[in-house]
């Protein structure tokens, strides 16, 4: 088992990475302060892993363990579903010293985290991400929240878990499309801040796609290290943390126009990273050769590298204007200054953006 | 104009107390960082004071000022109404550097504060409390949130405003019942931490009830000072801050059983303070004479000092068991150890509590 610490002063927390972690109470007990636990999962993940987690919780000193299963999917990441968690907590009389455990992917993690941030103005929570995407991304960094019909992640909080458990065993049942979507974020870390990792990925992408346990554990650990380093330097996204959004502004536009749940988040980010790379090249910051390396690696990971069929550049620009990264009317974008080096700019013209979109197949 | 500072490190903020404050941009401009403002008010307050505030905002350097009016009343303090604020923010394309201004009583303030805490994971907000209760209580301390059908203030955040403006002019239109409800919280400060203020209130309650401007300003300032001192010492309610809940555990039971909005919050707290005082006397901590002084002062402020007609002690005990102050099954209560001295206890028996309830008319 590997152990990382996300350094955030009094809000620091560990990430444990390994196999067979769920059912071992030694991994859980030290991080549960009260005597009540509410496990939040979804209807897909609960049948697979809830029993294992319950075994782990059996060995903890608890009075009450409840669980709730949410419907599965980004389409349910909203205030109504969030309220079902509050209903369950109040019906089961959970008090201020309860611990919420998120067992599932990013949607479950984001909603459980926001529920924990808001229930009685804040209770403890533990993240057990069961998808590759959530292991390398949404379980690290304290971003929690839900979507609004007019925008993704528009309602939420910065709230840190007490513990993240990344159990490689849970990746064995992950559908191929979702697995690839996770690899998109893994590749992102190489691009924005870790040149050596990008080269490792180019050399090892077949092993990773075959879900070789060692390759997986290495990729998750290095991704978490990269993200933890960025988050530790900028917990509340005042500045440099924004580089983690590489590909995301374009990606969110795809998700929002196609309707949440049509494209997976990681798929949208993959295409978005190619758009951001093309834009970087257009501005003269990186070479066409690097853009092709990005495209090639994403294709090898079975990820999309073009805009959705029929989506226009006008649709992109409209959707991007409500993205959170707009400050006082200026669109901030994360581009590349080289391999492993990200750059935040706010001086892109709509024409430049449109050109890069067309290079990626936008109508 | 008087100026207090609530000392909370980098989250410190000023409270300005005086007359004619709303329409003066000098009071607002220094606390607005971006170029967008959303004023959140309700259908009762907006017709009275929105225009004045707009005059004040006219003198600030802003690109966009929007406003939304919520329905009036505690019954609307829920996730659905909260979502209307998010709808308005997104429809008007407010970005991360927007400022929310709460213009209204505690309900508007609590919901606007939680909306500010959650919109895009946190934007600035300014409190302009227009009721006596919200001026002396809910605008100081950073508690924000909404109710759930199973409990009051169960969903929320600790989130500090950038500024509180308490304009005495807004109290002139306050209905008598609401004014009295505010006086209940004023009296509370005397009881829990300010013996001299309690004596001042006994000597000046008629002037205060006649809404004498000087008496009002003095009472608001001293209440805010008392509360600010308690909050500064314990921002997140780990310990001593709980004394601010004197009378509230009983009061919340009344509000919850009667249905939110039947009894005003301050009215429920008034009756709750007498119950807590009776319980303190039963335990031998204060004299019967002090209980009578409490009762007399509340009656002079036209406040209830008995349980609602027909409400049983069983109903109280059941409702109190889901109150937030329960830690691992033990009911924590705030009692009095003397005039101006509060005491937190967790060893009250249901029998003692029942006895004090019956002394206050519970069936």
């Amino acid at each position: 088992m590997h152990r990382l610490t996300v350094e955030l002063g009094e809000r620091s927390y560990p990430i444990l990475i390994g196999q067979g972690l769920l059912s071992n109470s030694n991994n859980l007990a030290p991080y549960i302060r009260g005597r009540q636990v509410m496990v939040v999962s979804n209807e897909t993940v609960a049948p697979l892993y809830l029993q294992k987690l319950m075994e782990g919780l059996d060995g903890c000193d608890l009075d009450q363990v409840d669980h709730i299963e949410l419907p599965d999917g980004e389409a349910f990441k909203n205030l109504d579903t969030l309220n079902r968690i509050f209903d369950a907590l109040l019906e089961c009389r959970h008090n201020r010293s309860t611990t919420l455990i998120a067992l599932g992917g990013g949607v479950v993690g984001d909603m459980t985290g926001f529920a924990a941030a808001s229930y009685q103005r804040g209770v403890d929570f533990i993240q057990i991400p069961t998808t590759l995407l959530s292991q390398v991304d949404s379980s690290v960094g304290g971003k929690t929240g839900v979507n609004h019909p007019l925008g993704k992640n528009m309602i939420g909080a910065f709230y840190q878990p007490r513990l993240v458990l990344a159990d490689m065993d849970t990746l064995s049942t992950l559908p191929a499309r979702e697995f690839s979507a996770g690899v998109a974020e893994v590749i992102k870390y190489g691009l924005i801040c870790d040149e050596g990792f990008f080269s490792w990925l180019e050399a090892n992408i077949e092993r990773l796609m075959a879900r070789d346990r060692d390759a997986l554990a290495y990729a998750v650990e290095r991704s978490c290290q990269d993200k933890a380093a960025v988050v530790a330097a900028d917990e509340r996204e005042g500045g440099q943390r924004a580089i983690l959004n590489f590909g995301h502004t374009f990606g969110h536009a795809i998700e929002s126009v196609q309707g949440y749940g049509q494209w997976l988040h990681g798929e949208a980010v993959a295409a978005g990273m190619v758009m951001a790379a093309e834009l970087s090249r257009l501005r003269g910051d990186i070479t066409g050769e690097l853009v092709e390396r990005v495209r090639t690696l994403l294709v090898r990971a079975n990820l999309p590298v073009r805009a959705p069929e029929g989506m226009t550049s006008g649709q992109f620009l409209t959707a991007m204007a409500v993205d959170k990264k707009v400050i006082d009317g200026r669109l901030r974008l994360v581009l590349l200054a080289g391999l492993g080096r990200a750059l935040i700019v706010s001086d892109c013209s709509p024409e430049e953006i449109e050109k890069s979109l067309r290079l990626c197949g936008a109508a």
Side-chain angles (χ1 to χ4, degrees), chain A:
Chain A
M1 185 180 75
H2 299 260
R3 183 193 172 99
L4 298 177
T5 301
V6 182
E7 297 290 355
L8 295 166
E10 62 181 17
R11 288 184 299 282
S12 296
Y13 63 90
I15 305 174
L16 309 184
I17 302 167
Q19 298 173 34
L21 304 182
L22 257 69
S23 52
N24 185 343
S25 61
N26 294 330
N27 298 325
L28 295 159
Y31 304 95
I32 299 174
R33 288 194 277 204
R35 304 180 64 86
Q36 293 178 308
V37 161
M38 173 69 75
V39 179
V40 182
S41 189
N42 70 31
E43 59 202 13
T44 307
V45 174
L48 295 168
Y49 301 111
L50 181 60
Q51 188 52 43
K52 278 213 153 37
L53 175 58
M54 288 298 182
E55 287 167 25
L57 291 170
D58 257 354
C60 302
D61 187 27
L62 298 169
D63 291 336
Q64 189 183 348
V65 179
D66 297 299
H67 60 92
I68 173 173
E69 276 101 63
L70 306 178
D72 187 8
E74 181 90 21
F76 299 99
K77 185 178 165 182
N78 55 37
L79 281 178
D80 285 343
T81 311
L82 182 77
N83 202 25
R84 291 182 49 182
I85 304 178
F86 296 132
D87 290 344
L89 286 165
L90 283 159
E91 279 159 13
C92 299
R93 300 200 164 204
H94 281 249
N95 59 43
R96 262 187 193 168
S97 50
T98 189
T99 295
L100 271 58
I101 299 183
L103 177 70
V107 171
V108 165
D110 286 5
M111 283 201 287
T112 307
F114 188 41
S118 310
Y119 185 61
Q120 304 207 18
R121 301 197 188 93
V123 299
D124 284 348
F125 90 113
I126 290 174
Q127 288 265 32
I128 304 183
T130 59
T131 65
L132 181 57
L133 177 62
S134 57
Q135 286 182 354
V136 301
D137 178 35
S138 54
S139 67
V140 187
K143 283 194 179 182
T144 70
V146 297
N147 299 327
H148 183 280
L150 295 177
K152 202 171 146 68
N153 291 321
M154 284 289 158
I155 306 164
F158 284 96
Y159 201 69
Q160 304 298 340
R162 300 253 303 150
L163 164 73
V164 174
L165 270 193
D167 192 329
M168 295 304 107
D169 293 347
T170 61
L171 301 182
S172 61
T173 50
L174 201 61
R177 231 183 113 187
E178 286 198 45
F179 186 82
S180 286
V183 175
E185 295 278 351
V186 172
I187 292 170
K188 183 192 76 178
Y189 295 114
L191 282 170
I192 60 170
C193 64
D194 195 343
E195 184 175 359
F197 187 31
F198 189 85
S199 302
W200 182 90
L201 286 166
E202 288 184 312
N204 292 277
I205 191 73
E206 271 76 30
R207 276 177 70 209
L208 197 63
M209 295 310 291
R211 306 191 197 185
D212 174 289
R213 293 288 163 112
D214 290 340
L216 267 180
Y218 180 81
V220 170
E221 188 179 1
R222 190 136 174 184
S223 297
C224 287
Q225 274 168 341
D226 286 342
K227 179 157 188 184
V230 175
V231 169
D234 179 18
E235 186 181 355
R236 294 181 69 90
E237 204 162 26
Q240 199 53 22
R241 177 170 173 160
I243 68 170
L244 295 171
N245 291 320
F246 181 64
H248 282 57
T249 304
F250 293 101
H252 284 168
I254 294 174
E255 290 181 276
S256 141
V257 171
Q258 300 296 304
Y260 296 124
Q262 296 302 304
W263 278 46
L264 297 177
H265 176 68
E267 293 172 337
V269 167
M273 290 195 293
V274 180
M275 292 164 190
E278 285 288 9
L279 184 53
S280 308
R281 186 186 61 80
L282 279 177
R283 293 167 55 95
D285 291 329
I286 62 169
T287 63
E289 185 205 9
L290 178 53
V291 180
E292 283 320 303
R293 279 175 73 183
V294 174
R295 213 175 241 124
T296 302
L297 186 57
L298 292 169
V299 168
R300 288 168 74 195
N302 301 322
L303 286 161
V305 293
R306 293 170 59 83
E309 192 68 33
M311 185 167 162
T312 66
S313 50
Q315 287 177 305
F316 269 97
L317 290 171
T318 305
M320 287 160 77
V322 297
D323 189 277
K324 284 192 294 298
K325 286 93 210 171
V326 179
I327 291 188
D328 289 330
R330 309 213 60 147
L331 182 63
R332 269 203 309 170
L333 283 173
V334 185
L335 301 182
L336 291 182
L339 180 54
R341 283 185 296 135
L343 185 71
I344 301 169
V345 302
S346 56
D347 63 347
C348 287
S349 67
E351 293 72 25
E352 279 181 313
I353 297 172
E354 200 167 348
K355 203 162 170 186
S356 63
L357 288 166
R358 290 191 190 281
L359 286 167
C360 297

